[in-house]
Amino acid sequence: MMINLAVLGATGLVGQKMRKILRERNVPFDHIFFFASKNSAGKKLYFKDAWYNILELTKDNLKQCGITHALSALDSPLAKEFLPYLAELGAIIVDNSSAFRMDDDVPLVVPEINLDAVEGNLIASPNCSTIQSVVALKPIYDAFGIKRIIYTTYQAVAGSGINGVEDLVRGDYNIANTFYPHPIAHNLLPHIDDFLDDGYTKEEMKMVNETRKIFNDQEIAITATAVRVPVFESHMVSIVVETKEPFTMDQVLEAFQGAQGVIVEDDVAHNVYPMPLNTAGKDEVFVGRIRRDHSVANGLNFICVADNTRKGAALNTIQILEKFITK
Ligand code: 2RA
């Protein structure tokens, strides 16, 4: 079968990461096409050993290129405008936006957990902070069951794309110049994505709803607080979890150590724990500060850290695509 692969939104932070990881993993294709907005169209980009024209994202261009597979790093409005059309043309699409994640007929997939949920030709990849959290929680869910989760996130500016990164680089205190509503340098913003009527943000509710959908378990009680921190890359998530079954700490450690895509970094006697500085550019989710929560029966506290534009976005979409494109 001919593989005409498209990268949609190829020039943004996630699109750049997709190109890097496609190269690193040597994902096979017959032809590759890079699509972006009008601003970038006509410019060239270098991929593997050739220069490619960046194509303007239009329905005509998608049709003319005969796209069979697509990785989408488009924002939600553009995803809604173009992906259903591309799906109608028969292409297999893995979408990084939130546009279709909660649609009943669209699987929401993290390969370490529910690759078998893939069906149809439009597949959604979850929000970055959700992906790393569920990869870390999977061994706990399987071994002991999960009753309740409290998430608190510490999210890097790369999650906002280039605008967030530029705010932190400038370190600007004049909010007339900033992308965020307040300076991010020397600050913490308890505000990611829009606020909803009940005071939660959309980012917080993505963590709640997407976690339940991925584990296919609507019974888990979940609450979340999402905070933007002045770090360039890699999100940290503090996870407080109440399990259904009792556990020993040795069993917990064994579960984490045997989990796919998880690396345990937990040796507090030597100040060893996961940190954004060490996880940027890595594929895995790093888990540490593992300790019992003494405030409830069957309570566990830990943190997880992962590269948010890599495992939290580009890599996850490519791991899903690899189910369709075997080497
Ligand atoms: C963020 N969750 O970090 C977003 C990116 N998908 O803002």
Side-chain angles (χ1 to χ4, degrees):
M1 178 200 176
M2 176 76 85
I3 298 171
N4 287 341
L5 178 61
V7 179
L8 311 179
T11 55
L13 283 191
V14 173
Q16 284 172 33
K17 238 353 126 70
M18 285 171 170
R19 278 149 44 197
K20 187 169 191 286
I21 298 169
L22 284 170
R23 219 171 41 226
E24 286 171 1
R25 294 171 78 92
N26 208 13
V27 174
F29 54 80
D30 295 288
H31 302 103
I32 190 161
F33 302 90
F34 300 104
F35 289 86
S37 67
K38 217 180 193 142
N39 293 342
S40 303
K43 293 180 186 159
K44 288 185 187 302
L45 63 78
Y46 195 72
F47 179 76
K48 289 197 166 176
D49 46 9
W51 287 97
Y52 289 81
N53 283 321
I54 301 174
L55 304 173
E56 185 181 349
L57 181 66
T58 64
K59 290 183 179 175
D60 279 353
N61 280 345
L62 289 172
K63 190 169 184 181
Q64 272 172 23
C65 294
I67 302 303
T68 59
H69 296 75
L71 294 170
S72 176
L74 300 174
D75 62 22
S76 286
L78 286 175
K80 281 185 184 148
E81 185 178 343
F82 289 99
L83 300 192
Y85 173 76
L86 195 52
E88 262 172 43
L89 295 179
I92 290 162
I93 304 156
V94 188
D95 176 30
N96 187 58
S97 82
S98 60
F100 307 101
R101 285 181 191 149
M102 297 313 296
D103 289 9
D104 284 343
D105 55 348
V106 175
L108 183 64
V109 175
V110 177
E112 289 83 348
I113 299 169
N114 63 342
L115 196 56
D116 54 1
V118 166
E119 60 174 10
N121 60 339
L122 176 58
I123 296 109
S125 183
N127 181 46
C128 44
S129 38
T130 311
I131 292 178
Q132 68 182 69
S133 300
V134 295
V135 169
L137 280 167
K138 162 86 170 148
I140 302 303
Y141 187 89
D142 288 350
F144 315 111
I146 292 181
K147 215 162 125 185
R148 181 171 189 234
I149 304 166
I150 304 171
Y151 289 129
T152 310
T153 72
Y154 306 77
Q155 294 184 224
V157 293
S160 308
I162 195 66
N163 293 327
V165 172
E166 284 177 358
D167 264 19
L168 184 54
V169 169
R170 276 198 310 267
D172 212 327
Y173 282 96
N174 177 358
I175 59 164
N177 298 329
T178 61
F179 162 73
Y180 295 119
H182 304 279
I184 184 65
H186 308 287
N187 207 1
L188 300 169
L189 307 181
H191 174 186
I192 299 182
D193 209 328
D194 299 331
F195 282 103
L196 299 165
D197 289 344
D198 63 358
Y200 283 85
T201 60
K202 283 187 181 170
E203 182 78 0
E204 290 160 350
M205 294 318 295
K206 283 178 209 166
M207 295 196 74
V208 172
N209 297 326
E210 293 178 14
T211 299
R212 290 187 181 133
K213 180 164 175 176
I214 295 160
F215 282 121
N216 191 21
D217 185 345
Q218 295 302 317
E219 302 296 310
I220 311 174
I222 310 176
T223 189
T225 302
V227 180
R228 185 75 67 198
V229 300
V231 164
F232 284 108
E233 284 192 306
S234 282
H235 294 345
M236 179 182 287
V237 184
S238 153
I239 301 182
V240 178
V241 57
E242 214 180 318
T243 62
K244 288 184 177 166
E245 303 295 330
F247 56 79
T248 67
M249 292 311 289
D250 282 348
Q251 288 173 323
V252 166
L253 202 59
E254 205 179 307
F256 279 133
Q257 280 166 341
Q260 201 191 340
V262 172
I263 293 185
V264 176
E265 277 189 346
D266 195 25
D267 179 6
V268 290
H270 297 96
N271 299 333
V272 173
Y273 30 73
M275 294 180 292
L277 209 53
N278 299 336
T279 49
K282 309 251 174 74
D283 286 356
E284 295 84 3
V285 174
F286 293 76
V287 168
R289 298 293 325 278
I290 305 164
R291 61 219 191 271
R292 187 177 286 280
D293 172 2
H294 299 292
S295 69
V296 288
N298 308 331
L300 180 71
N301 284 350
F302 64 97
I303 58 142
C304 70
V305 183
D307 185 326
N308 59 301
T309 54
R310 196 174 178 89
K311 181 56 190 165
L315 175 64
N316 200 67
T317 61
I318 290 170
Q319 288 170 322
I320 297 168
L321 180 76
E322 285 173 340
K323 183 177 163 77
F324 298 95
I325 300 181
T326 43
K327 288 183 190 166

